Amino acid sequence: MQAIGEAINQTMATKLTWASEYCTNATHVPAHIKPRMPNDDDWDAVTEYQVEMQKLCDKYKVQKIIIDGQVVCPRCKCEQYTAETTAEFQSYADHLKKNDKTLVLYNQSVLQDETILYARFDNYRTEDEPLAYQNLLMMKQHATGILNGEKFNILLYGPPGVGKSHLSYSLLYDINVRSNNQMSCLFIDIDEMLRRLRDSFNNPESKYTELYFTRLMSEVDVLVLDDLGAETGNEQTEKRASDFTGRILRAVVNSRQQKVTVVTTNLGGEQLNKMYDGKMLSRLSKNRKAVLFDDRVKDKRPLEGY
């Protein structure tokens, strides 16, 4: 967005400099404003033009000229063009800023499986599965609550493959569309994020630094942290998350006290407490909505690919 802003400012400066130069010279007209005389056979109109052109501009006391078939003051015309150009570029800049929030979800989310990008509420399968249908309705309700300004966290817990990631991304997509581009959403696969971070240690050109991810995750309105605990490599492990992982997650969670954070995990509360800092988990549990899955929900992966 910074690069876009700089481009807009540079273009506006060029346009306004152009207008300023010509507005100070009453005898010169911009190249794109070409004087046009009436048709040759309309001599009465020619006479009227000639009479009008003898008059001086009341404001600038300069002789008028013909522009687009009208007798006008060239300096007044340049002022009008400058104002219109400024308004045009300001409108364009506002449009880009507005749409920049929508682009966060598509351009900056961190995924392992990009098929999740096609996840929607309406393609989550719930046939003959009352619990899956109930959870789908809950997530739709949570999306509406967030759009209405409610602030809470969401925990999706259950076995692999039941659609926790699907419903989480569907919630982000729904908010992205229905908020009229007023809310920024982000999906972060924790394991993939940490992999990119580790790669950046030996790659000074990589943008995926600790500061980059901390800022990105802290600033968005709605954040999904997908598959908490998977970065340890084994769901049955009792080892703690590394200090590095813990530091990043603490910084993000601490900065999001007044924002919505969604967490998906296959791990129960006892396992999470062994792996992560208690204060961090406590903050994630604040004002929490739980969406729970069990073996009554079928594995969605063979049907949908994720």
Side-chain angles (χ1 to χ4, degrees):
M1 189 62 192
Q2 181 179 358
I4 294 174
E6 291 174 354
I8 291 173
N9 291 335
Q10 182 178 359
T11 306
M12 282 190 65
T14 301
K15 291 279 188 179
L16 297 180
T17 300
W18 172 88
S20 176
E21 289 174 351
Y22 284 103
C23 284
T24 58
N25 184 353
T27 63
H28 199 113
V29 183
H32 87 290
I33 303 179
K34 297 180 179 180
R36 179 177 63 82
M37 291 295 290
N39 295 330
D40 293 340
D41 50 346
D42 192 359
W43 295 109
D44 291 337
V46 171
T47 302
E48 293 178 7
Y49 275 83
Q50 290 174 337
V51 172
E52 187 66 24
M53 287 175 62
Q54 298 303 313
K55 299 178 182 179
L56 299 180
C57 172
D58 294 335
K59 182 177 182 180
Y60 290 109
K61 308 304 180 185
V62 298
Q63 187 170 350
K64 298 180 180 180
I65 63 174
I66 299 175
I67 299 176
D68 292 335
Q70 295 183 332
V71 179
V72 297
C73 167
R75 293 186 65 179
C76 290
K77 191 66 176 180
C78 286
E79 283 186 351
Q80 177 188 347
Y81 178 78
T82 299
E84 291 173 352
T85 301
T86 301
E88 175 187 348
F89 275 89
Q90 185 60 54
S91 175
Y92 183 57
D94 292 342
H95 171 76
L96 288 176
K97 290 178 181 177
K98 179 181 179 181
N99 284 279
D100 186 57
K101 288 195 172 186
T102 297
L103 297 177
V104 170
L105 179 62
Y106 305 116
N107 293 341
Q108 300 188 57
S109 289
V110 176
L111 314 168
Q112 288 198 43
D113 183 358
E114 293 194 355
T115 58
I116 196 70
L117 295 171
Y118 302 99
R120 305 287 186 270
F121 283 141
D122 61 7
N123 61 20
Y124 179 69
R125 297 180 181 274
T126 62
E127 294 90 340
D128 301 320
E129 297 178 59
L131 181 57
Y133 182 68
Q134 173 186 314
N135 288 343
L136 171 63
L137 293 181
M138 287 178 62
M139 291 297 284
K140 288 183 175 181
Q141 292 170 0
H142 293 335
T144 298
I146 294 168
L147 286 165
N148 289 335
E150 298 178 27
K151 299 291 190 298
F152 50 82
N153 295 323
I154 304 174
L155 172 67
L156 292 93
Y157 164 71
V162 293
K164 301 185 296 296
S165 300
H166 184 127
L167 288 177
S168 297
Y169 189 89
S170 298
L171 176 133
L172 296 183
Y173 178 84
D174 189 53
I175 292 172
N176 223 32
V177 172
R178 294 169 60 198
S179 71
N180 193 28
N181 306 325
Q182 295 302 305
M183 299 184 73
S184 56
C185 300
L186 184 70
F187 187 98
I188 296 290
D189 181 295
I190 297 176
D191 190 36
E192 177 64 17
M193 175 197 68
L194 293 173
R195 186 192 67 76
R196 296 186 188 185
L197 269 172
R198 288 190 293 268
D199 288 346
S200 74
F201 297 160
N202 298 318
N203 181 9
E205 300 299 320
S206 174
K207 70 176 183 179
Y208 298 119
T209 63
E210 181 175 346
L211 179 61
Y212 168 83
F213 277 122
T214 301
R215 283 182 174 175
L216 179 64
M217 293 188 288
S218 298
E219 292 174 357
V220 294
D221 297 307
V222 186
L223 170 68
V224 168
L225 295 173
D226 190 49
D227 223 354
L228 182 66
E231 73 277 4
T232 61
N234 186 340
E235 292 180 21
Q236 305 304 319
T237 185
E238 294 188 359
K239 68 179 181 181
R240 291 185 60 81
S242 69
D243 291 339
F244 174 68
T245 301
R247 181 174 71 245
I248 294 172
L249 293 178
R250 279 194 303 274
V252 172
V253 172
N254 288 342
S255 68
R256 299 189 56 80
Q257 295 305 293
Q258 301 301 319
K259 297 182 178 181
V260 177
T261 304
V262 182
V263 174
T264 76
T265 185
N266 303 331
L267 306 180
E270 184 176 349
Q271 288 174 289
L272 290 174
N273 278 309
K274 291 178 179 179
M275 295 176 62
Y276 298 103
D277 177 69
K279 289 183 178 179
M280 183 198 78
L281 294 176
S282 176
R283 290 194 171 113
L284 282 175
S285 299
K286 183 180 179 182
N287 198 20
R288 183 188 66 190
K289 311 284 187 181
V291 180
L292 306 179
F293 298 80
D294 57 28
D295 56 11
R296 289 175 293 172
V297 178
K298 298 176 183 177
D299 193 320
K300 310 298 179 186
R301 290 172 294 186
L303 292 174
E304 307 194 36
Y306 44 86

